[in-house]
């Protein structure tokens, strides 16, 4: 029996995914071994139609000499549609020992060709001529089934948002389907395993259809119907019987439709539900639907139907209200204690016709009254009309709210606390990171970063979840993606979004400001459009995923080529509209745009995106492009220096963001870098240890300070409690990240209503610095195949405990000062990876590992003196280091 095993089998980052249309899915696994320094020498993958592997494998990779255990592509015979494939893996170590076969896992294909859709798109007649409120459509059909059903799958999608029911029961617990994509080009469909919901005899399918992103209000100028004027749905049920035969029930004009209790449903505005109009059993067999209308068949939309790409959206957790507040204005307000995104589920016992309203807000004003000014035109109101005759429970269907406070009318006060719960809804991403430390304020900051991510990762990465915006702002996504990749596994989520970015990019390569594109927002700003390059590169870095680079490469190249023809010369970007250093504090009065010249920011990002494009080209084997774009990068750097740096090497625009970008993107000559870093340091100290940076400068500020030896100042900025700072909002009681440094000003007043969100994750990008510097978890090779552990032990902290579940397995760092003389540091390195540990001491003999001197440490390959301390190269395993506490940052 070998002392290592293969586990955590995944396909395209997901455990046993059902309904994927990837012809070459990729396998990954972990090696679990107590042994230090474990290296995989080879692997073997078998794929079969049954999990017992009794029959001849469908594909057998044979023994493959490789130390890779991630992103291994299926290379077997062409995959069949609607088929479950089981796979198992075993691995060899570098001593020739082989593990046992792993537990089998599986994936199931969806409809691999568009021809397999037999169902028809159906709609409610004249639904496009409805009144303002536009009540939701209810669809149903009945069908009978023999009782030897062995498996049943529904494939469904819609123009609008839909909820699917089988025999009166929700098909599953996923929400906001089909999700938001660039609807006129790509439309997702979902796969539902409904085997357990069907029975012999009569069965029924039902569906509720509402406006959603497709037809609902989108943008801040009250427009709607951006993607289409008419809702429609497409549903196809495949039932396999024990004799191998199959029955298909598809949507067609035999289905019936009507409106019902859901009188209004809008993402921004909430829902109106009249429970008196409920019709019991509408989605169950035997329901009398004669007075329902026949549906009408609609043409198939142009957009390509793609199987769900990202994880589904679900209720991830529920939270109970903390308190009932009676405001000075006499409002009854529930405090959820957390600025969350989702909806409220409540139970009421009242007369028929009783109207219950729930309004949702992020903050109370300084008098303590309910405040919805910053929602702009978004009403975020649930209106429920009771049916009476006992307890009734309600939660919305197709709308979500961003809120901490809920103003309730129509429900007796004593029922409030018990009868209400907040359902936190976001894309069901796997949590991968954790960061805790000895400072409660900093832990709250990390909490707010994570809840900012939860609140703005509902099917797409949004800027905010409450006002009449909630859009896929590209700039916000690119500044936050590295932090996001620590907290959660974000690949399928961003892969989908980036495909929509490429789909909405125009023929010139211009990238819309928001993805999916909503024309109100606009196109082609530096630092926003660069998401097209920075996001795929970051996913490659954090997960070692070459596929996302290959998929996005044409879009990445098109963006750089778009910029190339913008400037007066091809090496500078000094034309066009740019957001600049959005919301920076060195902006002129009443301007949202910081003082750093837009063309400086534009050219800096042009250089950075071109550098990343050259690197991406090299990684995917586009050698010629790699050379071409590296040369272009060089030229842009030269042009940047000529235009924005004085002959003496001084960055002409003395802003924190200008210094930060010039240093972060290596735009200065070596000789000018430390001086510029010192000028940045001086500028911050002269400003009372306060930042002035906006959306563009903030994500890199502390990373640059640490890189150039000013980690102490970075810590002082992070621990700054006075405005402006990250902790100012925490001290003001924030439970998520604010759009403005002073969303709530020191006098308790608010930023103007025209743009003031209390759930905007852009400034949460400081998380990246916390994980890479305070915890010291850094990648040296993509996917953390090689890791650097180098915590910067600050004087503000006595311990940090952080972990990251990488694609190779968990990485952990827990450092703790022992009586101010020494540090204990526990490090966990996943099997089949290597690490470099930098221990800040110049005396290697004073370092102990598990109490033993270094020369006795197993799988310690080398110890080398560097300017930063001892560099230890180690293999995988769990280590316990002790070393003297010398310099404190
Ligand atoms: C959004 C931001 C976005 C900005 C760009 C705002 O309205 O909320 O997230 O980055 O516009 O201007």
């Amino acid at each position: 029996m070998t002392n290592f095993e293969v586990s955590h089998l995944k396909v395209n980052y997901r455990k046993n995914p059902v309904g994927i249309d990837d012809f070459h899915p990729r396998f990954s696994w972990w090696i679990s071994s107590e042994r230090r320094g474990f290296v995989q020498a080879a692997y073997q993958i078998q794929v079969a139609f049954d999990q017992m592997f009794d029959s001849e494998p469908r594909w057998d990779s044979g023994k493959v000499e490789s130390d890779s255990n991630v992103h291994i592509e299926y290379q077997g015979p062409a995959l069949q549609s609607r088929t479950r494939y089981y796979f198992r893996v075993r691995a060899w170590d570098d001593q020739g020992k082989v593990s046992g076969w792993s537990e089998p896992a599986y994936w199931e294909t969806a409809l691999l060709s568009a021809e397999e859709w037999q169902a028809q798109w159906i709609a409610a007649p004249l639904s496009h001529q409805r009144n303002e409120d536009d009540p939701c459509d209810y669809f149903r059909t009945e069908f009978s089934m023999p009782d030897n059903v062995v498996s049943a799958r529904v494939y469904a999608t819609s123009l609008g948002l839909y909820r699917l029911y089988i025999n009166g029961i929700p098909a599953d617990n996923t929400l906001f389907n089909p999700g938001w994509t660039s609807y006129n080009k790509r439309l997702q469909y979902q796969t539902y395993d409904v085997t357990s919901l069907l029975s012999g005899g009569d069965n029924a399918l039902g569906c509720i259809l509402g406006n959603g992103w497709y037809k609902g209000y989108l943008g801040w100028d009250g427009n709607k119907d951006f993607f289409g004027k008419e809702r429609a749905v497409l549903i196809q049920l495949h039932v396999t019987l024990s004799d191998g035969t199959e029955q298909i029930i598809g949507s067609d004009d035999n289905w019936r439709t009507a409106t019902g209790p859901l009188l209004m449903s809008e993402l921004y505005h909430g829902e109106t539900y009249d429970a008196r109009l409920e019709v019991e059993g509408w989605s169950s067999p035997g329901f009398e639907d004669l007075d329902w209308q026949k549906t009408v068949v609609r043409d198939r939309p142009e957009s390509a139907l793609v199987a769900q790409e990202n994880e589904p959206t679900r209720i991830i957790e529920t939270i109970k209200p903390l308190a009932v507040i009676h405001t000075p204005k006499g409002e009854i307000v529930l405090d959820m204690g957390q600025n969350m995104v989702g909806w409220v589920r409540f139970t009421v016992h009242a007369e028929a016709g009783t109207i219950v309203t729930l309004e949702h807000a992020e903050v109370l004003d300084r008098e303590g009254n309910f405040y919805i000014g910053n929602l702009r035109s978004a009403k975020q109101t649930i209106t429920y009309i009771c049916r009476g005759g006992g307890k009734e429970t309600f939660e919305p269907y197709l709308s979500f709210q961003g809120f901490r406070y809920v103003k309730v009318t129509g429900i007796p006060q004593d029922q409030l606390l018990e009868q209400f719960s907040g359902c936190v809804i976001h894309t069901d991403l796997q949590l991968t990171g954790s960061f805790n430390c000895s400072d409660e304020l900093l832990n709250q900051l990390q909490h707010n970063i994570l809840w900012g991510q939860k609140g703005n990762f509902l099917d797409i990465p949004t800027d905010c979840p409450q006002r009449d915006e909630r859009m896929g702002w590209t700039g916000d996504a690119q500044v936050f993606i590295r932090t996001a990749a620590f907290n959660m596994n974000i690949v399928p989520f961003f892969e989908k979004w980036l495909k929509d970015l490429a789909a909405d990019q125009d023929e010139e390569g211009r990238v819309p400001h928001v993805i999916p594109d909503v024309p109100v927002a606009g196109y082609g700003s530096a630092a926003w459009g660069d998401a097209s390059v920075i996001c795929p590169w970051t996913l490659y870095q954090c997960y070692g995923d070459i596929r996302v680079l290959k998929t996005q490469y044409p879009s990445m190249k098109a963006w750089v080529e778009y910029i190339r023809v913008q400037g007066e010369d091809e090496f500078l970007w000094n034309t066009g509209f740019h957001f600049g250093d959005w919301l920076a504090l060195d902006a002129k009065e009443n301007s949202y745009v910081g003082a750093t010249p837009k063309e400086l920011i534009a050219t800096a990002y042009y250089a950075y995106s071109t550098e990343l494009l050259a690197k991406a080209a090299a990684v995917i084997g586009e050698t010629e492009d790699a050379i071409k774009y590296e040369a272009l990068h060089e030229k842009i750097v030269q042009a940047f220096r000529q235009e924005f740096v004085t002959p003496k090497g001084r960055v002409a625009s003395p802003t924190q963001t200008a210094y930060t970008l010039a240093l972060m993107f290596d735009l200065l000559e070596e000789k000018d870098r430390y001086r510029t870093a010192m000028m940045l340091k001086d500028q911050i100290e002269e400003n009372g240890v306060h930042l002035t940076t906006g959306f563009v400068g903030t994500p890199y500020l502390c990373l640059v300070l640490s890189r150039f030896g000013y980690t102490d100042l970075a810590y002082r900025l992070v621990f700054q409690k006075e405005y402006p700072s990250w902790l100012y909002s925490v001290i003001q009681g924030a439970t998520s990240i604010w759009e403005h440094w002073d969303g709530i000003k020191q006098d308790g007043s608010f930023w103007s209503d025209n743009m003031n969100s209390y759930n905007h994750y852009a400034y949460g990008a400081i998380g990246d610095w916390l994980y890479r510097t305070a915890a010291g978890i850094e990648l040296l090779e993509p996917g953390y195949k090689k890791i650097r552990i180098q915590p910067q032990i600050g004087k503000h902290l006595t311990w940090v405990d952080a972990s990251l579940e990488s694609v190779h397995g968990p990485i952990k760092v827990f450092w703790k000062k022992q009586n101010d003389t020494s540090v204990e540091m526990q490090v966990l390195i996943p099997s089949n990876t290597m690490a470099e540990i930098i221990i800040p001491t110049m005396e290697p003999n004073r370092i102990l590992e598990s109490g033993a001197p270094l020369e006795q440490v197993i799988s310690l390959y080398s110890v080398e003196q560097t300017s930063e301390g001892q560099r230890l190269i180690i293999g995988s395993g769990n280590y316990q280091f002790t070393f003297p506490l010398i310099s404190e940052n």
Side-chain angles (χ1 to χ4, degrees):
M1 178 50 195
T2 57
N3 59 3
F4 64 96
E5 63 177 25
V6 173
S7 63
H8 294 79
L9 273 55
K10 294 245 178 98
V11 175
N12 294 1
Y13 300 92
R14 298 164 68 188
K15 190 165 183 293
N16 299 338
V18 171
I20 63 173
D21 59 3
D22 185 345
F23 288 90
H24 294 284
R26 294 159 306 146
F27 308 113
S28 69
W29 57 88
W30 290 359
I31 303 277
S32 312
S33 164
E34 295 309 308
R35 197 177 76 212
R36 285 184 174 180
F38 183 97
V39 176
Q40 174 190 291
Y43 68 79
Q44 178 178 10
I45 303 171
Q46 289 188 334
V47 171
F49 289 124
D50 70 292
Q51 60 186 314
M52 305 316 292
F53 290 86
D54 300 342
S55 55
E56 184 58 30
R58 179 80 179 147
W59 177 55
D60 188 335
S61 70
K63 181 176 181 182
V64 179
E65 309 287 337
S66 163
D67 71 348
S68 179
N69 56 321
V70 294
H71 315 315
I72 310 296
E73 272 202 8
Y74 169 81
Q75 301 292 346
L79 296 174
Q80 296 158 16
S81 273
R82 296 184 301 103
T83 303
R84 180 165 294 192
Y85 292 88
Y86 293 90
F87 73 105
R88 62 183 182 176
V89 178
R90 65 180 176 172
W92 284 256
D93 67 9
D94 53 1
Q95 289 146 27
K97 291 207 192 73
V98 60
S99 72
W101 283 107
S102 66
E103 285 299 308
Y106 65 81
W107 83 98
E108 189 174 299
T109 53
L111 305 172
L112 296 183
S113 87
E115 278 59 56
E116 293 175 72
W117 285 101
Q118 300 175 17
Q120 295 174 300
W121 280 93
I122 56 174
L126 313 177
S127 66
H128 52 287
Q129 292 160 356
R130 290 238 177 88
N131 65 20
E132 188 46 32
D133 266 357
D134 204 357
C136 294
D137 301 311
Y138 289 67
F139 295 90
R140 73 178 303 278
T141 189
E142 282 203 25
F143 55 95
S144 106
M145 265 303 123
D147 51 24
N148 57 338
V149 173
V150 288
S151 95
R153 299 286 180 279
V154 172
Y155 304 94
T157 186
S158 66
L159 303 176
L161 288 177
Y162 76 98
R163 302 281 299 266
L164 187 68
Y165 299 82
I166 304 266
N167 296 337
I169 298 170
D172 70 4
N173 63 1
T174 63
L175 301 170
F176 298 101
N177 290 322
W180 191 5
T181 50
S182 159
Y183 288 138
N184 297 325
K185 293 143 191 153
R186 296 168 9 95
L187 178 64
Q188 294 191 127
Y189 64 88
Q190 287 65 45
T191 300
Y192 301 85
D193 179 351
V194 296
T195 311
S196 62
L197 299 177
L198 284 187
S199 52
D202 293 339
N203 293 266
L205 267 164
C207 172
I208 300 176
L209 181 61
N211 287 344
W213 294 286
Y214 180 80
K215 192 178 172 318
Y217 289 91
L218 272 183
W220 42 87
D221 49 14
N223 285 328
K224 60 187 310 227
D225 303 351
F226 273 99
F227 296 92
K229 291 200 168 326
E230 183 179 42
R231 300 186 293 240
V233 67
L234 179 72
I235 298 172
Q236 183 159 313
L237 165 65
H238 286 252
V239 180
T240 307
L241 306 175
S242 56
D243 61 6
T245 59
E246 190 182 58
Q247 290 196 12
I248 299 176
I249 288 101
S251 46
D252 62 18
D253 55 7
N254 293 318
W255 288 49
R256 314 289 293 176
T257 183
T259 57
L262 197 44
L263 300 177
M264 184 283 285
S265 180
E266 282 288 345
L267 291 165
Y268 291 173
H269 305 315
E271 288 188 350
T272 300
Y273 187 92
D274 184 339
R276 297 168 301 179
L277 300 176
E278 279 176 347
V279 272
E280 192 56 37
W282 69 274
S283 63
S284 299
F287 175 78
E288 199 36 69
D289 60 13
L290 287 179
D291 58 359
W292 285 40
Q293 294 174 296
K294 259 173 74 58
T295 54
V296 290
V297 170
R298 287 290 175 255
D299 297 341
R300 175 188 296 273
E302 291 313 304
S303 35
L305 289 180
V306 295
Q308 172 98 19
E309 293 165 334
N310 59 346
E311 291 86 346
T313 297
R314 291 190 170 99
I315 294 175
I316 305 295
E317 59 194 294
T318 58
I319 58 178
K320 294 301 285 178
L322 270 190
V324 177
I325 298 167
H326 300 269
T327 70
K329 273 194 193 153
E331 301 147 317
I332 305 297
V333 172
L334 283 173
D335 177 2
M336 305 306 292
Q338 172 61 51
N339 195 12
M340 57 169 281
V341 174
W343 58 47
V344 168
R345 176 188 299 140
F346 65 90
T347 299
V348 57
H349 193 160
E351 293 300 306
T354 304
I355 300 179
V356 175
T357 63
L358 307 186
E359 292 173 69
H360 303 76
E362 294 184 296
V363 288
L364 303 180
D365 66 20
R366 62 179 155 190
E367 283 75 40
N369 290 312
F370 192 70
Y371 175 80
I372 52 172
N374 69 324
L375 301 180
R376 301 193 307 214
S377 69
K379 301 193 184 70
Q380 291 212 126
T381 299
I382 301 299
T383 305
Y384 178 81
I385 298 130
C386 300
R387 69 174 169 268
K391 279 192 172 185
E392 41 199 301
T393 296
F394 178 77
E395 61 191 292
Y397 287 76
L398 304 169
S399 172
F400 66 85
Q401 292 75 50
F403 64 100
R404 172 174 172 166
Y405 300 96
V406 184
K407 184 170 100 178
V408 183
T409 60
I411 291 203
Q413 289 175 37
D414 59 353
Q415 292 185 18
L416 287 181
L417 275 184
E418 274 324 295
Q419 314 289 44
F420 278 66
S421 45
C423 300
V424 177
I425 298 174
H426 55 82
T427 301
D428 193 358
L429 296 158
Q430 182 209 352
L431 286 176
T432 53
S434 73
F435 177 93
N436 287 297
C437 68
S438 52
D439 185 276
E440 277 319 310
L441 288 177
L442 210 54
N443 289 338
Q444 182 66 39
L445 176 62
Q446 168 59 16
H447 170 99
N448 295 0
I449 293 170
L450 185 60
W451 276 82
Q453 184 167 347
K454 289 179 177 190
N456 284 292
F457 272 25
L458 195 157
D459 198 64
I460 65 160
T462 53
D463 62 323
C464 62
Q466 65 310 78
R467 65 185 182 216
D468 51 7
E469 196 158 356
R470 312 177 185 193
M471 291 177 178
W473 282 93
T474 48
D476 307 49
Q478 70 89 353
V479 297
F480 187 69
I481 190 171
R482 185 69 192 249
T483 297
F486 180 91
N487 290 316
M488 296 176 182
N489 179 328
I490 59 170
V491 180
F493 180 81
F494 266 94
E495 271 184 322
K496 163 192 171 265
W497 187 70
L498 287 168
K499 284 181 185 159
D500 288 309
L501 185 152
D504 284 344
Q505 199 172 359
D506 68 15
E507 58 292 345
E508 291 169 58
R510 207 166 47 148
V511 174
H513 297 329
V514 298
I515 300 295
D517 182 20
V518 179
V520 284
Y523 305 86
S525 166
W528 271 250
D530 294 283
S532 60
V533 176
I534 294 169
C535 293
W537 182 256
T538 303
L539 295 180
Y540 166 66
Q541 286 290 307
C542 295
Y543 301 92
D545 192 325
I546 292 177
R547 165 94 54 101
V548 70
L549 281 184
K550 283 188 181 146
T551 307
Q552 295 306 125
Y553 187 72
S555 160
M556 298 164 79
K557 185 173 175 180
W559 171 248
V560 169
E561 287 300 333
Y562 164 76
I563 304 173
R564 195 176 189 163
V565 295
Q566 298 311 309
E568 280 140 18
D569 76 42
E570 69 177 301
F571 307 126
L572 273 180
W573 192 5
N574 52 7
T575 59
F577 168 85
H578 299 288
F579 291 114
D581 191 14
W582 188 247
L583 304 185
L585 301 169
D586 52 14
K588 292 197 193 67
E589 193 58 28
N590 296 329
S591 163
Y592 286 149
V593 180
T596 308
K598 293 180 175 182
E599 53 280 6
L600 183 153
I601 293 173
T603 306
Y605 266 94
Y606 177 23
Y608 184 48
S609 281
T610 305
E611 179 192 9
L612 297 185
L613 182 64
K615 287 181 177 168
V619 169
I620 65 173
E622 297 284 348
T623 329
E624 265 177 50
D625 275 4
I627 297 162
K628 182 172 94 180
Y629 288 112
E630 185 37 47
L632 173 62
H633 171 241
E634 263 324 298
K635 294 245 175 45
I636 301 165
V637 171
Q638 294 314 321
F640 181 92
R641 290 175 184 165
Q642 273 145 28
E643 183 74 10
F644 303 110
V645 183
T646 65
K648 285 263 182 327
R650 173 189 289 271
V651 175
S653 313
T655 66
Q656 292 180 8
T657 293
Y659 293 153
T660 297
L661 292 184
L663 291 166
M664 185 72 188
F665 298 161
D666 297 326
L667 300 173
L668 305 175
E669 291 179 53
E670 189 59 43
K671 67 176 178 54
D672 302 325
R673 295 181 181 183
Y674 279 88
R675 182 162 72 110
T676 303
M678 194 172 57
M679 294 166 80
L680 174 61
K681 185 262 298 176
D682 294 347
Q683 223 248 31
I684 294 170
E685 287 181 337
E686 281 147 24
N687 192 30
V689 187
H690 283 295
L691 47 76
T692 58
T693 49
F695 278 30
V696 166
T698 301
Y700 301 131
L701 182 63
C702 290
L703 290 170
V704 161
L705 289 171
S706 289
R707 181 175 154 199
F708 288 92
Y710 297 114
T711 296
D712 172 51
L713 180 57
Y715 265 115
R716 289 162 62 201
L717 278 174
V718 169
F719 278 90
Q720 172 64 262
K721 295 184 177 56
E722 301 304 315
Y723 163 80
S725 68
W726 283 281
L727 291 187
Y728 167 79
S729 64
V730 171
I731 292 161
Q732 293 281 335
T735 57
S736 49
I737 301 292
W738 292 353
E739 178 172 28
H740 298 277
W741 291 114
D742 59 343
I744 299 178
K745 298 181 179 301
Q746 284 139 324
D747 65 1
S749 65
F750 294 156
W751 248 88
S752 68
D753 286 351
N754 70 10
M755 196 184 77
N756 185 20
S757 148
Y758 293 99
N759 201 341
H760 234 80
Y761 53 44
Y763 289 147
I766 187 61
D768 193 17
W769 180 84
L770 292 175
Y771 320 141
R772 292 162 80 176
T773 306
I777 300 177
E778 176 63 274
L779 58 87
L780 283 180
E781 281 177 18
Y784 295 87
K785 179 68 173 173
K786 194 161 183 216
I787 305 155
R788 173 186 293 138
I789 303 294
Q790 181 181 15
Q792 307 277 341
I793 296 175
K795 64 173 166 284
H796 299 77
L797 295 168
T798 55
W799 61 267
V800 166
D801 181 1
S803 70
L804 168 64
E805 198 175 286
S806 76
V807 284
H808 294 94
I811 303 166
K812 282 190 177 44
V813 174
F814 177 34
W815 63 262
K816 188 171 177 36
K817 293 174 185 172
Q818 307 293 336
N819 50 41
D820 280 353
T821 57
S822 70
V823 177
E824 282 236 352
M825 179 164 76
Q826 190 227 337
V827 172
L828 173 65
I829 302 298
S831 295
N832 206 26
T833 69
M834 295 272 290
E836 180 180 290
I837 312 286
I838 310 289
I839 296 191
T841 175
M842 294 308 161
E843 306 163 273
N845 54 2
R846 294 192 55 199
I847 302 174
L848 300 176
E849 195 287 308
S850 304
L854 291 183
E855 42 283 357
Q856 292 173 20
V857 176
I858 297 168
S859 85
L860 169 60
Y861 304 122
S862 68
V863 180
E864 189 194 337
Q865 176 100 4
T866 72
S867 59
E868 299 164 305
Q870 305 306 314
R871 177 176 25 226
L872 282 55
I873 304 296
I874 62 169
S876 64
N878 210 332
Y879 299 80
Q880 191 73 34
F881 294 100
T882 313
F883 52 89
L885 177 66
I886 18 189
S887 68
E888 285 191 332
N889 284 313

